[in-house]
Amino acid sequence: MRKFYLLLLACIFTLGVTAQTQVTLAYFSFSGLNGNSDVMPNMPKLYMADDGMQAGTAGLYADGTHGSSLLSDSALNNFSGSTINLWNNAAKSRDFAVVSEHANGKSIVFHFSTTGISAVQMTYAYKRTNTGFNSLVWSYSTDGENFTEFLSETTSGDTYEARGLDLSTVATINNQENVYLKVTFDGCTSGSGNNRIDNVKIDGMAAEDNFPPVYQSRVNYNDSIMTLTFSEDLNTNISTANFVLTDNVGNAAISSATVTGNVVLLIFNPALTEGNSYTLEMNNISDLAGNVMNPYTLNFKYGVAPEFHVATIAELRSKLSCASHTGSIADTVVYKLTGHVVVTAYDRWYHQTFIQDETGAIMLYDNISANGDNPTLGQVAPGDEISGIYCKLTNYWGYLEAIPQSAYLQWHDSDVDVEPMTITLDQISDQNFMMEHQAELIKLENTSIDATGSFNYGKRYVLSQGGVTDTALCTYFQYANYIGNTIPSGNQTIVGVNFAASKIYSNTYGFRYYIVPRIKADISGLVGIIDATMDKIAIYPNPTADIVNLNVAGATMAEIYDMNGRKVAAYSIGDNAVISLQNLSQGSYIMRVMSDNQVLGFTKLIKK
């Protein structure tokens, strides 16, 4: 869509005609939501636009970022949706609902870009229950911090109706890289009262493109690959002739330059040298309308000096003590972890990734990326092997975190299983023992969970084992697929990561260590995606950009789950099947193959 739009602008520019065209920047159909009220959370706190020029980049936030409030799971829900304001052949599916008087005064935020765009309009379907929020206050911002109120409205009506916001007179938000549109809810009088929105469409007027592209950022993936990101799509005839790379010893060169949209992929041959400084000159970089960027010089240093290389996690951990848990202490040195490590756990909340090797474990806290499905540093999943991690260290109130500084240099779908260390409930209360094994995968056997009802995220649960009782289980991973499931009774085997905190979301406790399960399969009384007795099946090609082939006798169904255990697709198949994954985002998944209700096997699947 964006390429077509810019090509259209190029044609208009060539003809010398000044024109404006209405374009749809973003459309939110909420079609990807789960309608099963027994699965929590049934409304994610981040939802990316599914159509429009900014599909996958414009977002709706209720996670405490982008100027939004951090809404609890119980304050968000989804229902059957509306046919009002459907666009571009979208199907009627689900909607987005803010629920309960506990969300009074809370806000959600739409984030999008208006670069080259003016006269913004929003249209949507809207419904409010009788006890729902009767006050909506709309405000806008271009920095996500300072908001200007422009509309306060009192709402009524318990059936869906078409509504709209006219921002065409708000010149402040025209031609901005970032626009934040906030709505604050108030006036709800019950726990079930709610307001619902659906089929949200954001439009604007696109002017003739008279602006050259602007260099924005670079990412080094390894010593041979770099990507450069620009403000708009580039002319595809850009080549190595547009770039000159030099260093202090004269052995730097670019072997190829490939343009994809607004990103240029550079391949270096010879490879960059660790710790060296480089100069990259960019010349005659043009957009699709023929606008040429002024020459630009980028100075950068690749990697870190060899004295800051560490081979193991234990060596990395030795660089900063985590003995104190009375404050946060950050190290300014960038280290390179050169050894191969295995991902043992991953949560979308700031892409917290737990890695482990034979010497220890540590949590990567990707605060470069926002919470969501598209981490800046690359998508990884449990079982992946990664290496070449550049990071700084922070002792965050007694828990050591590695803060990544660039994309992981390598990652391999090796599907490595890490055997958890079996410990006792007594040992979890031993802070010295647990500090030595921070972030490692651990296991408790013959343990009962002293609670009833369903699991909620961000909660602590009492465990009992052999006469010992301790509040040692924490559901810290808010996207774990056991959230909302009934707490099992009887003896359990529980697997999880060794995590420590004094504050869990909005609740403050004394500093202590916990076991944090990752998925259903980590709690023996729950049925997970993968059972220990399941056979592993083969598919090909894997990784794949689209098509996969599988041959499983008696197969009738293939189900695909993301790495947090959410089902994202299902296919009716036969013994020999060809499946298209075109509608799946890039990343790691689990495919489970069924024969009616019997599980035949599983495999890990990579969508490129």
Side-chain angles (χ1 to χ4, degrees):
M1 178 68 73
R2 178 169 171 80
K3 289 183 179 179
F4 173 78
Y5 161 61
L6 289 173
L7 285 168
L8 175 63
L9 290 181
C11 294
I12 295 172
F13 180 80
T14 302
L15 293 172
V17 177
T18 301
Q20 284 193 317
T21 304
Q22 184 173 23
V23 294
T24 296
L25 303 178
Y27 177 70
F28 299 82
S29 72
F30 306 113
S31 59
L33 299 181
N34 187 343
N36 183 357
S37 61
D38 294 330
V39 178
M40 292 291 289
N42 53 27
M43 181 63 235
K45 296 175 176 61
L46 164 62
Y47 191 91
M48 307 306 292
D50 8 53
D51 206 342
M53 290 172 57
Q54 296 172 30
T57 57
L60 169 56
Y61 294 84
D63 62 353
T65 69
H66 296 71
S68 70
S69 303
L70 174 58
L71 277 80
S72 65
D73 283 349
S74 59
L76 294 173
N77 209 333
N78 67 85
F79 300 93
S80 59
S82 171
T83 59
I84 294 174
N85 212 45
L86 286 175
W87 179 71
N88 204 20
N89 298 314
K92 174 183 178 295
S93 51
R94 311 301 294 176
D95 57 18
F96 180 101
V98 179
V99 184
S100 156
E101 73 271 20
H102 297 298
N104 282 330
K106 299 295 181 66
S107 306
I108 63 173
V109 170
F110 292 90
H111 172 237
F112 52 96
S113 171
T114 61
T115 302
I117 301 294
S118 61
V120 175
Q121 306 268 348
M122 173 189 279
T123 55
Y124 58 98
Y126 174 83
K127 177 180 178 179
R128 173 174 86 82
T129 63
N130 290 330
T131 58
F133 305 90
N134 61 16
S135 170
L136 302 181
V137 176
W138 294 87
S139 56
Y140 62 84
S141 172
T142 56
D143 62 10
E145 297 179 1
N146 302 292
F147 284 84
T148 301
E149 180 181 327
F150 78 95
L151 177 64
S152 179
E153 52 184 340
T154 301
T155 63
S156 61
D158 58 1
T159 59
Y160 260 112
E161 62 181 29
R163 297 178 70 91
L165 293 172
D166 184 358
L167 294 95
S168 60
T169 60
V170 185
T172 306
I173 66 172
N174 293 341
N175 196 34
Q176 296 293 319
E177 182 177 351
N178 294 289
V179 173
Y180 306 83
L181 186 59
K182 176 192 289 187
V183 55
T184 302
F185 298 85
D186 215 339
C188 182
T189 58
S190 76
S192 60
N194 62 80
N195 289 40
R196 310 174 194 180
I197 58 174
D198 198 8
N199 305 323
V200 180
K201 186 167 176 277
I202 302 174
D203 296 320
M205 299 300 295
E208 179 184 4
D209 185 2
N210 292 315
F211 301 97
V214 176
Y215 164 76
Q216 293 182 324
S217 61
R218 70 174 176 92
V219 174
N220 279 93
Y221 286 90
N222 56 36
D223 57 5
S224 300
I225 301 174
M226 173 193 282
T227 58
L228 306 173
T229 301
F230 295 82
S231 60
E232 58 178 311
D233 289 3
L234 302 179
N235 196 321
T236 55
N237 66 6
I238 290 173
S239 67
T240 56
N242 298 97
F243 303 94
V244 177
L245 181 70
T246 56
D247 67 0
N248 56 351
V249 294
N251 64 349
I254 300 172
S255 61
S256 71
T258 306
V259 176
T260 303
N262 67 330
V263 176
V264 177
L265 172 67
L266 299 180
I267 305 297
F268 303 119
N269 187 13
L272 304 179
T273 301
E274 187 83 24
N276 263 18
S277 296
Y278 293 87
T279 298
L280 179 65
E281 298 176 29
M282 311 178 203
N283 299 284
N284 297 315
I285 304 294
S286 61
D287 62 16
L288 297 177
N291 302 302
V292 179
M293 185 177 83
N294 289 330
Y296 185 87
T297 299
L298 171 66
N299 295 302
F300 68 94
K301 182 178 179 180
Y302 173 67
V304 298
E307 57 263 33
F308 298 115
H309 289 192
V310 292
T312 66
I313 293 178
E315 188 179 354
L316 177 65
R317 294 188 64 92
S318 70
K319 301 299 182 180
L320 184 65
S321 171
C322 60
S324 171
H325 50 80
T326 59
S328 183
I329 303 170
D331 191 346
T332 59
V333 176
V334 176
Y335 298 98
K336 181 183 180 182
L337 178 57
T338 59
H340 287 198
V341 299
V342 178
V343 176
T344 57
Y346 170 78
D347 188 58
R348 288 175 60 234
W349 180 252
Y350 279 89
H351 312 290
Q352 293 174 104
T353 303
F354 291 75
I355 58 173
Q356 188 165 335
D357 63 12
E358 293 181 352
T359 69
I362 198 168
M363 184 184 80
L364 302 176
Y365 185 76
D366 180 6
N367 64 359
I368 295 176
S369 301
N371 176 35
D373 287 321
N374 298 295
T376 302
L377 305 182
Q379 183 77 60
V380 294
D384 286 343
E385 187 180 9
I386 60 178
S387 61
I389 301 171
Y390 292 91
C391 61
K392 295 180 180 180
L393 293 175
T394 296
N395 170 12
Y396 188 75
W397 298 82
Y399 200 70
L400 197 61
E401 300 174 344
I403 314 299
Q405 301 298 301
S406 65
Y408 310 130
L409 297 192
Q410 304 174 53
W411 68 278
H412 320 275
D413 175 37
S414 51
D415 205 13
V416 177
D417 291 324
V418 174
E419 183 65 28
M421 176 178 62
T422 301
I423 66 172
T424 66
L425 198 54
D426 259 341
Q427 288 173 306
I428 288 186
S429 61
D430 182 343
Q431 288 200 11
N432 289 330
F433 172 82
M434 295 296 281
M435 183 174 66
E436 292 176 6
H437 299 283
Q438 270 191 11
E440 290 183 26
L441 205 56
I442 56 178
K443 179 196 291 186
L444 293 173
E445 297 176 333
N446 298 314
T447 302
S448 63
I449 305 171
D450 297 346
T452 58
S454 300
F455 284 115
N456 291 307
Y457 83 86
K459 302 296 182 182
R460 306 187 310 160
Y461 296 89
V462 175
L463 299 179
S464 295
Q465 182 191 59
V468 177
T469 300
D470 191 11
T471 307
L473 187 148
C474 178
T475 53
Y476 178 72
F477 293 156
Q478 63 174 297
Y479 297 102
N481 66 334
Y482 55 81
I483 301 300
N485 282 248
T486 301
I487 298 171
S489 60
N491 279 344
Q492 306 291 319
T493 296
I494 301 174
V495 174
V497 292
N498 172 3
F499 182 76
S502 57
K503 186 172 183 179
I504 301 171
Y505 299 106
S506 59
N507 299 311
T508 300
Y509 308 101
F511 177 85
R512 65 150 301 147
Y513 285 88
Y514 301 94
I515 182 171
V516 179
R518 304 161 298 172
I519 57 175
K520 281 184 182 180
D522 280 347
I523 302 173
S524 59
L526 299 178
V527 178
I529 306 169
I530 302 172
D531 186 89
T533 62
M534 286 185 192
D535 293 328
K536 194 164 185 180
I537 61 173
I539 61 174
Y540 65 94
N542 188 19
T544 179
D546 183 5
I547 299 296
V548 293
N549 301 269
L550 65 157
N551 183 354
V552 181
T556 60
M557 177 71 69
E559 300 172 333
I560 297 181
Y561 296 81
D562 67 15
M563 300 311 292
N564 287 310
R566 296 169 297 186
K567 186 189 291 187
V568 295
Y571 308 88
S572 295
I573 62 171
D575 292 2
N576 298 289
V578 178
I579 296 175
S580 173
L581 307 178
Q582 185 176 8
N583 294 327
L584 293 182
S585 302
Q586 293 182 357
S588 299
Y589 298 90
I590 297 293
M591 175 184 285
R592 188 169 71 173
V593 180
M594 315 281 290
S595 175
D596 296 325
N597 292 322
Q598 178 185 358
V599 179
L600 299 178
F602 76 97
T603 186
K604 186 174 176 183
L605 168 66
I606 303 293
K607 169 69 182 295
K608 294 192 293 185

